[in-house]
Amino acid sequence: MRTGPVTNREREEMRCLRAQLVSVEEIGAQVGRSGRCVWEHVKDMGVEAPRPGRAGRGCKRTDAENARLLAAARAGLSREEIGARFRLAPISVGPTLSRLRKAQRTAGESRA
């Protein structure tokens, strides 16, 4: 990784790649900067790149995908396995499951 100030040429390259919907991590690898550094220089563009495996559908999971995710957790799959299967970072699996379980409980209480 490079250190020091970002040059105008680097910034322009970052912005050009981001306009092409390249992820900030991939841009960082190409220009030799961290993803966080890239994000700081392109966040004002308002570009939302689709997540891998979800092209054309946005970032929302369907109800069926959420049900399969909860079923996988009940079946005893590890966070790494769930993350790989549903294209989630292993660190985000726990909070995602917690949020889905809470939504499921809330929906069950409102029907009762």
Side-chain angles (χ1 to χ4, degrees), residues 3-47:
T3 58
V6 174
T7 65
N8 287 338
R9 181 169 287 149
E10 287 175 315
R11 185 176 297 111
E12 184 60 35
E13 185 177 358
M14 290 176 193
R15 295 177 74 80
C16 180
L17 289 168
R18 188 62 177 163
Q20 297 171 28
L21 302 181
V22 177
S23 75
V24 293
E25 291 81 13
E26 291 175 31
I27 295 169
Q30 287 184 24
V31 298
R33 299 287 182 163
S34 70
R36 181 70 185 160
C37 175
V38 172
W39 178 247
E40 288 298 322
H41 292 281
V42 301
K43 66 183 175 185
D44 66 319
M45 294 175 66
V47 175

Side-chain angles (χ1 to χ4, degrees), residues 80-93:
E80 289 78 18
E81 291 169 322
I82 292 172
R85 183 177 292 182
F86 294 94
R87 299 184 185 273
L88 295 169
I91 197 166
S92 69
V93 172

Side-chain angles (χ1 to χ4, degrees), residues 39-65:
W39 178 247
E40 288 298 322
H41 292 281
V42 301
K43 66 183 175 185
D44 66 319
M45 294 175 66
V47 175
E48 289 293 326
R51 287 175 54 187
R54 296 188 176 208
R57 292 193 302 165
C59 292
K60 295 254 183 197
R61 271 184 306 282
T62 64
D63 290 339
E65 286 176 313

